[in-house]
Amino acid sequence: MENFRRDQDQECIKTVVEKLQNKLAGHRYPFKIKFCVIKVTIETWLLADERAIGNVVGQHVPPVMGSLEDIENPKDCLMQILTTAKVGYTDEKAGQIAAAADLEKIAYRCPGFNRFREDIQDC
C-alpha cells in the first residue's frame, strides 16, 4: 500500500485529501492507496520527548509544558530550543531527534500521533 502523508499546513483536511486524490486521478496502481493528513507538523511530535532532544544537543532540555498540539509554531519552538543549545535546526538534526524519540511518550503527549499510528499500521 502506498501512503501519501503530509501535514495540514493550515488547510482544511478535506481539501488536502482532494488535492492528493486529483494528483492520482487516471492512474492505476496494483495496491491500495490511503491518504493520511496530520493536523500538526512533525516538530510537534519531536517536542514531546525532551530527552531525545537533549541527547541530540548534548545537554539537558526542559520539557515543553502544555498541550503540544496547540502550539501555533512548533517548528519555531524547536528551533529556539536548539538555538539555546547552540545547535542549528536541520533535517539531519530533526531526523536524529526522531530516531531517539520514545514513541510511547509522543503518543501520550500528542493524541493526533495515535490516530496517525493507527492509520499507518496496516501498511
Side-chain angles (χ1 to χ4, degrees):
M1 175 189 316
E2 184 168 339
N3 283 289
F4 291 88
R5 295 184 218 58
R6 58 163 289 176
D7 63 57
Q8 184 182 358
D9 200 26
Q10 304 304 318
E11 288 186 73
C12 169
I13 290 175
K14 183 179 177 191
T15 302
V16 172
V17 170
E18 286 172 357
K19 285 180 185 179
L20 293 170
Q21 288 171 329
N22 288 337
K23 284 185 177 186
L24 296 180
H27 295 88
R28 292 184 161 259
Y29 297 95
F31 44 81
K32 181 180 174 187
I33 296 176
K34 182 177 184 177
F35 296 97
C36 180
V37 180
I38 61 174
K39 182 178 178 182
V40 299
T41 65
I42 191 74
E43 288 81 10
T44 302
W45 296 343
L46 299 180
L47 289 169
D49 190 348
E50 71 279 357
R51 279 191 221 139
I53 299 169
N55 288 343
V56 170
V57 301
Q59 63 186 28
H60 171 76
V61 172
V64 176
M65 304 308 289
S67 173
L68 297 177
E69 293 181 343
D70 290 335
I71 294 174
E72 195 165 314
N73 296 304
K75 186 172 186 176
D76 291 345
C77 182
L78 182 58
M79 288 174 70
Q80 181 60 45
I81 291 168
L82 296 179
T83 299
T84 299
K86 297 183 177 27
V87 174
Y89 181 87
T90 64
D91 289 345
E92 181 182 347
K93 289 295 177 200
Q96 290 172 353
I97 295 167
D102 178 345
L103 297 182
E104 295 309 315
K105 187 164 190 179
I106 295 172
Y108 176 76
R109 299 227 33 221
C110 302
F113 179 76
N114 283 321
R115 289 187 298 278
F116 173 74
R117 191 159 56 169
E118 288 171 8
D119 281 347
I120 65 168
Q121 271 189 319
D122 63 349
C123 296

